[in-house]
Amino acid sequence: MKKVKASAPGKLLLFGEHAVVYDKPCIVTAVDRRVHVEASFNGKEELIVSAPQMGVLDYKRKVKELCSQEMPKQVSFIEALVKRFYQKYGFDKGCFIRTKSDFSHTFGFGSSSAVTVATATALAKLYKINFSKKELFDLCYKAVLDIQGVGSGFDLAAALWGGTIYYIKGAKEVFKLKIKSLPIVVVYSGVKADTPTLVRQVAEFKRKNPKKINNIFKNIEKIVEQGKLEIEKKDWEKVGALMLENQGLLEELGVNTLRLEKLVKKAVSTGAYGAKLSGAGGGDCMIALCKKSDKIRVEKALENVGGKVMKVGLNAKGVVCKKI
Ligand code: PMV
């Protein structure tokens, strides 16, 4: 086999951020912006990575020295994944990995998780290993934790399974919701969120106020359970109300920002059923649920208050892979 190509989607969290880190469920949807990976053997005992959009050209590391030194951030997830993959299967035959992304890493669509999943899937095909999705998930999750130290793995699940998923940490449960589309407007707040820092901030908050935070997480869990039912029923009015409730709890968790709140308020005052931040908070995207007929009006209003409307499709396909 000469070359393998894989692509995996980015994601957006609909409900349950932060609580999902503490074993509560969340609902995540895959977006139709993807990270593409090409993998081939290189005849050497080294990993060679090119990610031209990230300014990385022919980054080289001996297979035996993977992750042994400081790594540039742009290749760290790939290097950790390749190391985990080689360790598990005892390979030392080097490979070439080339990546291309449909989206900038600043939007919070999960470029790191998508590149990790696409690389793992491409390598499995290149080295002719039959993985189940759960085995691939476990491998990718270990690599992500090697680099980030924290996280629920919800983004990896979206990249692997695609669609819109009810998810519990470590892929203990992955359940695809039966829907075709979601009438959601996605708006970038203009600020890049620092997810690991926010996760640690909530952990610290929880350490100081365990009762309060556990209570918030329980309420978020109820919203996720209800959200799952209402999304499948397409009762958008109820889904919107749940989004606002979830947003209120994220505010209580201390991860909301003035900019995100302004976008949420604007969306609702221009006719959206509901809106909330998506992801760790502190920035990244806001999502608003609205009728098709209100969409353009809501989008315009959000642009007028500084939001950047992202034309993304949701409920997208999970990782795909082919030989070339
Ligand atoms: O910032 P994002 O879009 O990667 O979302 C983070 C979601 C958290 O629940 C805060 C962390 C996690 O890994 O689940």
Side-chain angles (χ1 to χ4, degrees):
M1 190 185 304
K2 290 219 164 71
K3 225 181 235 181
V4 169
K5 262 189 176 181
S7 77
K11 51 74 197 165
L12 272 173
L13 255 172
L14 301 182
F15 288 110
E17 39 275 272
H18 288 289
V20 65
V21 177
Y22 299 89
D23 299 307
K24 304 290 189 205
C26 74
I27 299 176
V28 56
T29 190
V31 303
D32 66 357
R33 305 279 175 99
R34 307 179 75 85
V35 174
H36 307 262
V37 167
E38 239 179 64
S40 53
F41 295 118
N42 60 23
K44 301 175 183 160
E45 285 182 14
E46 57 187 18
L47 164 70
I48 307 178
V49 182
S50 274
Q53 287 161 311
M54 314 279 276
V56 177
L57 291 174
D58 286 344
Y59 166 85
K60 291 182 185 155
R61 183 71 84 218
K62 292 237 166 354
V63 169
K64 288 195 181 76
E65 290 168 8
L66 287 170
C67 301
S68 62
Q69 294 160 44
E70 187 99 358
M71 298 172 267
K73 214 172 163 226
Q74 309 91 304
V75 298
S76 56
F77 288 89
I78 296 174
E79 191 164 334
L81 185 277
V82 174
K83 180 173 181 185
R84 285 278 177 189
F85 183 88
Y86 282 13
Q87 265 177 352
K88 189 164 164 79
Y89 296 101
F91 293 128
D92 56 6
K93 203 169 158 191
C95 64
F96 185 71
I97 303 285
R98 187 180 175 84
T99 74
K100 189 170 127 316
S101 178
D102 296 342
F103 58 92
S104 154
H105 70 284
T106 49
F107 298 141
F109 286 161
S111 53
S112 309
S113 47
V115 83
T116 307
V117 165
T119 305
T121 307
L123 287 182
K125 191 147 198 122
L126 189 70
Y127 287 86
K128 297 194 176 115
I129 298 165
N130 271 332
F131 269 113
S132 68
K133 282 215 193 292
K134 178 66 168 74
E135 282 168 323
L136 265 183
F137 174 89
D138 290 343
L139 191 73
C140 292
Y141 193 32
K142 281 183 189 147
V144 166
L145 290 180
D146 288 341
I147 301 301
Q148 244 175 222
V150 289
S152 67
F154 78 99
D155 39 7
L156 295 168
L160 266 161
W161 280 276
T164 301
I165 298 171
Y166 171 96
Y167 172 84
I168 296 181
K169 189 177 175 180
K172 281 194 246 4
E173 256 191 69
V174 177
F175 169 89
K176 254 193 196 178
L177 272 61
K178 293 172 206 73
I179 50 156
K180 289 214 166 75
S181 60
L182 284 160
I184 282 181
V185 169
V186 181
V187 172
Y188 180 58
S189 67
V191 177
K192 166 122 190 74
D194 177 355
T195 301
T197 302
L198 284 149
V199 170
R200 290 193 178 101
Q201 182 186 306
V202 170
E204 183 56 15
F205 198 9
K206 185 172 183 296
R207 198 183 60 75
K208 288 189 183 144
N209 308 273
K211 232 176 158 178
K212 178 176 167 152
I213 303 302
N214 285 332
N215 206 31
I216 293 178
F217 287 164
K218 268 191 206 140
N219 288 330
I220 292 180
E221 179 179 22
K222 281 188 204 148
I223 290 172
V224 172
E225 296 298 346
Q226 193 65 32
K228 178 175 104 179
L229 302 175
E230 305 302 351
I231 289 173
E232 284 196 327
K233 279 197 252 167
K234 295 199 200 122
D235 190 333
W236 303 130
E237 222 169 301
K238 288 212 179 113
V239 177
L242 290 167
M243 286 168 84
L244 288 171
E245 237 184 276
N246 197 160
Q247 171 72 4
L249 294 166
L250 290 164
E251 162 80 30
E252 280 187 53
L253 269 186
V255 299
N256 195 19
T257 66
L258 287 176
R259 201 183 273 243
L260 286 164
E261 192 57 25
K262 193 168 165 189
L263 291 168
V264 167
K265 290 230 163 80
K266 190 46 119 187
V268 175
S269 68
T270 20
Y273 293 122
K276 63 183 275 295
L277 66 85
S278 171
D284 283 353
C285 288
M286 187 239 31
I287 52 175
L289 188 75
C290 57
K291 280 194 202 108
K292 249 193 188 155
S293 52
D294 288 340
K295 196 172 170 214
I296 292 177
R297 186 159 44 91
V298 172
E299 285 180 349
K300 277 208 177 114
L302 291 170
E303 294 221 305
N304 284 342
V305 290
K308 178 177 165 50
V309 172
M310 309 296 298
K311 299 278 181 200
V312 290
L314 306 179
N315 203 38
K317 207 176 161 66
V319 69
V320 290
C321 186
K322 62 175 185 211
K323 294 182 230 167
I324 48 172

